Amino acid sequence: MRGDLVRKLAARCLSTGLAVLAFVVLALTGATDWGLALAVAALAASAAEQRIRPNADLVAETTLIAAAILVGYSRRLDDGLNFTLVATALVLLGLVLLVGPLRTAGSLEIRAANLPVRAWTPLIADRLGTALLGLLAVLAIAAALTLPASVALAASLLVGAGTGVVALDLARRRFRPGAGGGPVARALRRHQPEFLLYFSAPPGSEYQVTMWLPYLERIGRPFLVVLREPEFLAPIAAATDAPVVYCPTLRTMDEALVPSLRAAFYVNHGAKNSHCIRFTQLTHVQLHHGDSDKAPSANPVSGIFDRIFVAGPAAIDRYARAGVQIPAEKFVVVGRPQVESIAVRPEPARGLGEPTVLYTPTWTGHHADADYCSLPVAEELLHRLLARGATVILRAHPYTAQNPASARQLSRLTELLVADRARSGRQHVVGAAARALSLTECVNRSDALVSDVSGVISDYLYSSKPYAVTDMGDEGDQFAERFPLAASGYVLRRDLSNVDDVLTALLDTDPLAAERWATRRRYLGDFPAESYAEAFLTAARHELSPAPDRTTERPASASLSPTA
């Protein structure tokens, strides 16, 4: 996060500084060629800033650059007051003043993918800033080549005409909307979706959606995905054939939530979830994006949903243990369908000579009480694993890079494993190679897991293979009370004082093998392995059935007999 702030500040200073310098050189000195070169550099810096800060206000920079280029142009032509350049200046002034408001207006329009509609105006409005920078670059080149001023005016009028068309269409959309909504709403009505997946989250969180898309598609009913942040539109649309709609405002949500919808599914407790929960005609179902003993997994906000789909009875106990009172009828045990492809090892594998160990450090969290990250002590841990002949799969949390210290620690671990791979030939999996693997593939390739408190442990539990959990809060005996899943694993202290005993139990003796089966049933339900995901699909279809049918008995949840 700190590194991102530094990058944004550097981009801002560079674009502003170059714009001021270009104007000063062209306005106050005779170095026209140098001034035009500086103007082009300022344009490049402004374009870079737009990529780093998509909502950056570049009015001051573009005004200075435009003025500098026109001064240089006038000097190049050397014919006194040039009325064509004056007209060009007026067109540029209008563009500079209009581009920002039009981009803002375009960003408030609904956008869609995987629908037979093309809403070009918002897309063009979003690129007007780039178009203006491109126009100024053309004018700078024209000035450097001493082309006639009519070339500059023609180019400016062409961009101005396109901007005017965009402005008129945005005004029409705002003040004279079509009957029955716009083209996206009409296309959704034709699609007749029965449910939606609603998603709002910070950048880099699309995995929360993509893990659920295959199972939502297997429900066999038409649906759509509603997004509240534009950066997710392209990656999520690429992961599904279902319509994906970006709704920046409550007005656009009213347009997207068509009458055929019966239910809304959620994968997190994002603050903007309330914008969709206000549609009381829908059944609102929380799915979560993992099952763990982390504090956020017992969020009191869950109580606002009509249904809470949980992996197993342990999730229900977790809320009660945290003092969160939610009516029992809201919970539905559906298992964790994402684990259905994980291979189950029914018998413990003891005495592993050259084991493959999956290490999954989590991130530091938004708050100190949710910081379970073991990266600060991981280097010594990896040295101990390598000493036991282990091959390591290092798969860090997607948010790790948000913390510069964690990013540096992960880089050191990666270098350590790459060096050992070159020296020993053991095929450690790190970096891009680890990110390319799904969690299921990582679990199936490994013999044991070392993890921080996270949802990875619950998924790994399905395999019945042993795992160790890091106690980064140094809680000792209280750790398993706060995080019951650790009771069926081997707890690694923060100071690593018991690392040898933990690795011996994890890779050699595995005394908790029998206890993991009972824990597996409590955390992941007790559904047949050959039809494990059917529990979720059946429960989801039940919520989509007409209202009279939903009053009948709900599909059976997990029983308590062991199933492999």
Side-chain angles (χ1 to χ4, degrees):
M1 292 181 184
R2 190 181 309 148
D4 189 48
L5 178 61
V6 171
R7 194 162 53 100
K8 290 179 179 179
L9 286 173
R12 184 64 169 166
C13 292
L14 185 62
S15 62
T16 303
L18 286 173
V20 171
L21 186 60
F23 179 78
V24 169
V25 169
L26 283 164
L28 302 179
T29 75
T32 304
D33 290 340
W34 280 105
L36 290 173
L38 285 170
V40 172
L43 290 170
S46 297
E49 184 180 2
Q50 274 195 339
R51 287 194 296 272
I52 296 171
R53 301 173 60 234
N55 297 319
D57 180 2
L58 299 177
V59 172
E61 288 85 348
T62 50
T63 301
L64 284 171
I65 295 169
I69 290 172
L70 290 174
V71 169
Y73 214 140
S74 179
R75 284 186 179 167
R76 280 287 196 178
L77 295 176
D78 195 25
D79 56 358
L81 181 61
N82 189 308
F83 288 101
T84 304
L85 283 183
V86 172
T88 302
L90 293 174
V91 174
L92 287 178
L93 178 61
L95 288 173
V96 168
L97 295 177
L98 279 175
V99 161
L102 290 179
R103 286 184 65 202
T104 300
S107 70
L108 299 179
E109 293 293 321
I110 193 169
R111 301 186 204 176
N114 300 343
L115 271 178
V117 295
R118 292 293 182 267
W120 295 111
T121 302
L123 294 176
I124 295 173
D126 189 50
R127 288 164 175 75
L128 285 178
T130 303
L132 176 58
L133 296 178
L135 171 62
L136 292 175
V138 168
L139 298 189
I141 294 170
L145 298 175
T146 322
L147 298 179
S150 56
V151 173
L153 180 59
S156 301
L157 287 174
L158 181 63
V159 175
T163 302
V165 171
V166 170
L168 289 173
D169 192 48
L170 288 173
R172 179 192 61 78
R173 288 166 176 262
R174 180 61 54 89
F175 300 112
R176 296 184 61 185
V184 172
R186 292 194 292 272
L188 288 175
R189 283 190 172 89
R190 291 191 295 271
H191 182 64
Q192 291 286 297
E194 294 187 27
F195 67 93
L196 65 92
L197 176 65
Y198 181 91
F199 183 60
S200 173
S205 305
E206 56 267 26
Y207 71 95
Q208 298 178 5
V209 170
T210 54
M211 71 168 60
W212 280 107
L213 286 173
Y215 302 97
L216 298 178
E217 291 167 354
R218 282 167 59 178
I219 293 173
R221 311 284 181 84
F223 73 100
L224 77 150
V225 181
V226 173
L227 307 175
R228 302 306 308 282
E229 287 77 29
E231 60 268 21
F232 295 122
L233 184 59
I236 291 178
T240 181
D241 292 329
V244 182
V245 179
Y246 162 57
C247 295
T249 64
L250 296 182
R251 178 182 62 83
T252 53
M253 284 196 62
D254 292 339
E255 188 174 347
L257 270 66
V258 293
S260 59
L261 290 166
R262 294 175 182 165
F265 293 93
Y266 305 78
V267 295
N268 60 32
H269 289 103
K272 291 183 182 178
N273 285 354
S274 60
H275 296 176
C276 190
I277 289 175
R278 67 192 176 94
F279 292 89
T280 56
Q281 72 273 24
L282 303 178
T283 300
H284 301 278
V285 182
Q286 176 61 256
L287 301 176
H288 298 104
H289 56 271
D291 181 88
S292 78
D293 286 328
K294 284 185 175 182
S297 295
N299 195 323
V301 175
S302 297
I304 67 177
F305 298 97
D306 299 307
R307 299 283 181 268
I308 307 167
F309 282 13
V310 294
I316 304 174
D317 297 339
R318 187 181 301 131
Y319 282 95
R321 191 170 62 251
V324 179
Q325 301 300 317
I326 295 177
E329 60 268 19
K330 286 194 173 189
F331 291 103
V332 184
V333 175
V334 299
R336 170 97 171 123
Q338 288 82 2
V339 306
E340 65 173 345
S341 298
I342 290 178
V344 178
R345 180 185 289 168
E347 298 296 331
R350 297 186 170 97
L352 297 172
E354 297 181 346
T356 297
V357 178
L358 173 60
Y359 173 48
T360 58
T362 191
W363 68 305
T364 54
H366 289 298
H367 308 288
D369 64 348
D371 183 0
Y372 309 109
C373 179
S374 64
L375 284 172
V377 302
E379 194 165 348
E380 175 63 20
L381 170 64
L382 290 194
H383 279 299
R384 296 301 185 96
L385 285 169
L386 296 178
R388 289 176 178 257
T391 298
V392 178
I393 302 173
L394 174 58
R395 191 175 192 271
H397 192 283
Y399 287 179
T400 299
Q402 292 185 8
N403 184 304
S406 293
R408 290 192 297 270
Q409 290 156 356
L410 179 60
S411 179
R412 285 198 298 271
L413 300 184
T414 301
E415 292 171 1
L416 170 64
L417 292 176
V418 169
D420 184 80
R421 182 169 58 195
R423 182 172 56 254
S424 68
R426 284 176 290 198
Q427 296 303 301
H428 306 299
V429 183
V430 297
R435 291 191 296 271
L437 295 176
S438 68
L439 179 58
T440 295
E441 291 171 319
C442 292
V443 174
N444 288 341
R445 287 189 182 195
S446 66
D447 298 300
L449 168 73
V450 178
S451 178
D452 305 336
V453 175
S454 75
V456 172
I457 301 175
S458 294
D459 288 0
Y460 202 88
L461 180 63
Y462 188 79
S463 72
S464 192
K465 291 184 282 193
Y467 57 86
V469 189
T470 61
D471 174 12
M472 294 306 294
D474 204 18
E475 298 182 53
D477 294 339
Q478 295 180 346
F479 182 71
E481 296 177 12
R482 285 192 62 198
F483 308 105
L485 195 54
S488 297
Y490 307 103
V491 178
L492 186 62
R493 299 188 192 117
R494 181 186 177 90
D495 61 5
L496 300 185
S497 59
N498 65 337
V499 64
D500 288 327
D501 291 339
V502 165
L503 293 183
T504 296
L506 184 72
L507 304 176
D508 188 9
T509 58
D510 194 15
L512 297 177
E515 289 186 29
R516 280 198 303 277
W517 279 105
T519 303
R520 181 178 181 268
R521 291 194 296 272
R522 287 196 303 109
Y523 273 81
L524 297 171
D526 189 27
F527 305 106
E530 63 274 10
S531 58
Y532 185 81
E534 284 300 317
F536 165 75
L537 300 175
T538 300
R541 290 172 187 139
H542 183 82
E543 300 301 338
L544 298 177
S545 60
D549 294 342
R550 289 204 300 269
T551 62
T552 60
E553 185 177 352
R554 188 169 300 283
S557 295
S559 61
L560 294 176
S561 58
T563 303

